[in-house]
Amino acid sequence: MPTISFPQFQRLQSFVWLLTVVPLFFLFVLWSNLDHDYLSNTLSSWQLNTTRILRFPGHNVPLPDPLKIWILESTGSHDEVRAALVHSFGGIEHGEITMFRLMERWNITDIMDNYTMEAPVQSIRGSQSLKHAVHNLSLPHVIVSTTCEADLKNEAEALRYLLANSSAHLFCTFHHADRWVKGAHVEHAREWVEKGRIDFVGLSKHTVDFFVKNTASQWDSRTPFKARAYPPVFPVQLAEPETGTVHLAMQGDYSPHRRNYRSIFRELDKVITKVEEFGDNETVGLRLLGHGKKPKVPKKIKKNVHFDERLTYPDFYSLLSTSFAVLPAFASSGYLDRKASSTIPAALIAGAPVLASEQILAAYTYLPREAVWMVKPGETEMTAMARLVGHRSEYLRKREASRRAAIDIMEANRRNVRKWVAEASWKANWVETP
Ligand SMILES: *[C@@H]1O[C@H](CO)[C@@H](O)[C@H](O)[C@H]1NC(C)=O
Ligand SMILES: *[C@@H]1O[C@H](CO)[C@@H](O)[C@H](O)[C@H]1NC(C)=O
Ligand SMILES: *[C@@H]1O[C@H](CO)[C@@H](O)[C@H](O)[C@H]1NC(C)=O
Ligand SMILES: *[C@@H]1O[C@H](CO)[C@@H](O)[C@H](O)[C@H]1NC(C)=O
Ligand SMILES: *[C@@H]1O[C@H](CO)[C@@H](O)[C@H](O)[C@H]1NC(C)=O
Ligand SMILES: CC(=O)N[C@H]1CO[C@H](CO)[C@@H](O)[C@@H]1O
C-alpha cells in the first residue's frame, strides 16, 4: 500500500492552502470592489447581479412599517416610466405610496388602478405641492424621482430640505445618460452622492453603462454610488389578437429624428408583395402609433399606412398587442448607447415581438432572443419582415415568449426594488437592530 510520506503531504498541504487562500483573496477583492468602486456598478444589471454584494445582508434587513414612499414626476411626461415605478415599488410590503405628479395623461391611471399592490397609493398630489408636503406630512424613507434630470431642478428646494432634514434615500431615474456631466441637476445629485443616499436608475443596462463609464467618470469625486438597471415594464389587460391583417407597428414621436420612416416606407412594398403571394386575402397594415408632425407617406402605400394618433394608454397597448412585429426603426445610434427607447418596453408590455438586431439585443439585455424576430446581418428591417411574414406558428410562440418575458421582468423588478430599498434601510439604519 502506498503511504504518503511526510514531505509529499506537506507539499500537498501547502497546495491545498494555496487553493483555499487564493480564491478567497480574489473573492475578497471582488467583494470590496463591488462595494467601494463605483465602476463596479456596471454589474448592477437587472439580472440581479447586485446579489453579489455579499456584505449587505439582503433579505434579512428589516424595513420600516410603514415604509413611506414618495414618487415624484414634475414634467408631465414619462407616464409609462412612472406607471412602472409605481408597480415595482408597490410590491413592497407595508409600504405606503404618496404620488406627486404634474398631471395625468391619456388615461394612464386606468391602468395603474388595476395593479395588485402591497403598497397602495394612498394619495395623489400635484408635484408643486411637494414643497408644502415636506413641512406638513411625515417625511418619507424613499423618494423615487421619475425624471431625475428635471425633478432635481423643478423641486430643488423640497429635495434639499429632505436631504438635510430626513434620512430619505433618493432613487434617481435618468433618461439621458450623456447629460450628467455638469449642470444644476448634477451638482444637486452629487450632494446626495456625498451622503451615500442616492441610487441612479437607468432604463436599460446600456444606459447605465454609459452613465457610469462615460459621464460620471468625469466627475472630480470618486465617492462610490450605485447605478441600477431597471426595465420599465408594468401589467396591462390585453385583448385577444385578431387575424387577417399583418400589423406592423411603430410607436412614438413621428419625428424623423427618432424613427427612420423613409426607409421603412420605401421598402414596405416588399412585405405587401410577399403577403399577397399567400393569396389569403390578407393585407399589411403599418400602424404608426404616436403624435407629432406626420411623415409624408408615398401614394403607393397610403392605404396600408395608418396613423393612430393620441390614443389613450389602454387603447395604445391593446392595439400594439395585435402586432405581428414592432419595428424599432431607430434613426440614431443613441438608442444603442446613451438613451433607452420606449419601444422595447412598450412591445413587452403589449406582448408583441420586436424586430431586433444583434446590437439591439446587446443593448437591451432584458429582451430575450426567443421573444423577438431577428434581423440578419445585411438585411434591412423590411427585407427581414418580407422573409418572416409567413411564419405564423413562430409568431404565436414569440408572442407567448414576449408575454412571459414581461411577467418575469415585473417579478424581477419587484424583487430588485425591494433589495435596493433594503440596502438603503441597512445603510441608514431606519430600523434599529438589537
Ligand atoms: C379616459 O378617462 C376619462 C375620465 O376617467 C373617461 O371619461 C374616458 O372615457 C376615458 N377614455 C377612454 C378612451 O377610456
Ligand atoms: C381593469 O380590469 C378590469 C377587470 O379585469 C378590466 O375589465 C379593465 O379593462 C381593466 N382596465 C384596464 C385599463 O386595463
Ligand atoms: C402645508 O404647509 C403650507 C405652508 O408651509 C401651507 O400653505 C399649507 O396650507 C399646508 N397644508 C397643506 C395641506 O398643504
Ligand atoms: C431643515 O429644517 C430646518 C427646520 O425646519 C430649516 O430651517 C432648514 O432650512 C431645513 N434645511 C433645508 C436645507 O431646507
Ligand atoms: C377575399 O376578399 C374578397 C373581397 O373582399 C371576398 O369577396 C372574397 O370572398 C375573399 N376571399 C376569401 C378566401 O376570403
Ligand atoms: C453585467 C454582468 O455581469 N451580467 C451578469 C449578471 O449575472 C448573470 C447571471 O449570473 C450573468 O449571466 C451576466 O453576465
Side-chain angles (χ1 to χ4, degrees):
M1 265 223 332
T3 51
I4 299 171
S5 69
F6 187 69
Q8 251 177 335
F9 181 63
Q10 209 175 28
R11 264 208 306 277
L12 187 69
Q13 211 180 22
S14 56
F15 183 63
V16 168
W17 188 84
L18 264 181
L19 264 183
T20 325
V21 168
V22 169
L24 273 181
F25 174 74
F26 280 112
L27 268 180
F28 175 76
V29 168
L30 186 67
W31 291 341
S32 45
N33 273 350
L34 281 174
D35 239 10
H36 294 295
D37 174 4
Y38 73 75
L39 279 175
S40 70
N41 290 312
T42 49
L43 290 175
S44 329
S45 85
W46 71 283
Q47 296 166 303
L48 281 178
N49 292 13
T50 48
T51 51
R52 293 216 228 139
I53 301 165
L54 292 186
R55 278 193 199 171
F56 156 60
H59 284 299
N60 304 326
V61 174
L63 296 183
D65 178 4
L67 176 86
K68 296 202 168 293
I69 303 165
W70 287 6
I71 295 182
L72 172 62
E73 207 298 312
S74 67
T75 71
S77 60
H78 298 138
D79 315 270
E80 310 105 300
V81 177
R82 179 165 58 97
L85 289 167
V86 167
H87 183 258
S88 303
F89 282 84
I92 302 179
E93 64 276 21
H94 309 302
E96 289 177 2
I97 295 179
T98 302
M99 189 145 53
F100 296 89
R101 85 298 174 245
L102 186 66
M103 61 168 123
E104 302 291 356
R105 292 192 307 179
W106 305 323
N107 295 38
I108 190 78
T109 41
D110 292 353
I111 290 177
M112 290 196 263
D113 286 348
N114 269 6
Y115 291 172
T116 307
M117 301 274 276
E118 299 285 339
V121 178
Q122 290 200 323
S123 108
I124 301 180
R125 295 156 183 258
S127 51
Q128 301 97 330
S129 74
L130 187 72
K131 52 181 148 320
H132 305 303
V134 297
H135 300 291
N136 302 356
L137 299 184
S138 65
L139 297 180
H141 302 97
V142 168
I143 312 155
V144 184
S145 161
T146 307
T147 310
C148 201
E149 288 93 344
D151 293 340
L152 283 171
K153 284 189 260 188
N154 296 342
E155 296 306 327
E157 188 191 323
L159 290 171
R160 284 211 166 86
Y161 183 95
L162 290 168
L163 180 62
N165 288 317
S166 80
S167 64
H169 194 87
L170 177 61
F171 291 90
C172 171
T173 312
F174 64 86
H175 297 259
H176 296 274
D178 52 342
R179 297 191 191 159
W180 283 86
V181 177
K182 46 169 101 79
H185 60 298
V186 180
E187 276 157 38
H188 189 168
R190 289 181 54 186
E191 294 167 25
W192 292 80
V193 170
E194 292 308 318
K195 293 204 172 176
R197 284 171 50 194
I198 188 168
D199 282 21
F200 292 94
V201 179
L203 301 175
S204 178
K205 184 176 169 300
H206 70 281
T207 62
V208 174
D209 286 349
F210 193 98
F211 181 87
V212 171
K213 288 186 200 150
N214 301 43
T215 305
S217 55
Q218 299 186 48
W219 296 351
D220 53 19
S221 149
R222 285 286 174 271
T223 309
F225 62 82
K226 293 274 158 60
R228 317 286 198 179
Y230 172 82
V233 174
F234 54 86
V236 292
Q237 255 83 26
L238 298 174
E240 275 312 303
E242 52 188 288
T243 48
T245 305
V246 176
H247 284 300
L248 307 178
M250 289 165 69
Q251 70 92 34
D253 197 318
Y254 290 144
S255 154
H257 304 298
R258 302 228 190 175
R259 327 261 160 229
N260 191 356
Y261 292 100
R262 266 245 301 252
S263 80
I264 298 278
F265 288 166
R266 199 172 54 227
E267 298 191 77
L268 186 64
D269 270 22
K270 292 185 181 164
V271 186
I272 298 172
T273 314
K274 195 68 189 246
V275 165
E276 280 167 358
E277 277 172 23
F278 298 135
D280 291 341
N281 257 4
E282 282 192 324
T283 53
V284 176
L286 175 63
R287 279 191 181 138
L288 306 177
L289 301 97
H291 50 87
K293 189 171 176 294
K294 293 182 196 168
K296 199 166 152 19
V297 182
K299 229 195 210 110
K300 207 160 58 160
I301 56 165
K302 266 218 161 88
K303 65 176 190 319
N304 300 92
V305 176
H306 313 285
F307 288 93
D308 295 300
E309 282 181 278
R310 315 212 134 258
L311 296 172
T312 64
Y313 281 104
D315 291 347
F316 168 76
Y317 288 112
S318 41
L319 211 52
L320 198 64
S321 76
T322 64
S323 314
F324 185 82
V326 178
L327 315 175
F330 297 153
S332 91
S333 59
Y335 288 113
L336 296 173
D337 67 5
R338 63 206 65 194
K339 282 193 292 180
S341 165
S342 63
T343 293
I344 309 296
L348 287 172
I349 291 166
V354 174
L355 180 64
S357 59
E358 289 294 344
Q359 291 94 313
I360 288 179
L361 286 192
Y364 298 80
T365 53
Y366 60 87
L367 189 61
R369 190 176 288 268
E370 63 273 13
V372 306
W373 298 112
M374 287 304 294
V375 181
K376 290 185 179 164
E379 277 184 331
T380 64
E381 291 188 314
M382 288 294 107
T383 25
M385 261 357 290
R387 170 171 61 80
L388 293 164
V389 280
H391 299 203
R392 296 312 162 85
S393 53
E394 204 173 338
Y395 164 60
L396 296 179
R397 282 201 299 278
K398 291 196 179 297
R399 200 179 67 188
E400 194 48 45
S402 176
R403 282 160 203 224
R404 185 69 242 163
I407 291 169
D408 291 346
I409 290 168
M410 287 185 274
E411 285 173 0
N413 279 349
R414 279 192 159 178
R415 278 197 308 273
N416 286 349
V417 157
R418 176 155 196 321
K419 192 167 287 155
W420 304 342
V421 170
E423 199 174 328
S425 179
W426 174 65
K427 276 200 285 191
N429 219 7
W430 287 332
V431 184
E432 296 287 337
T433 38

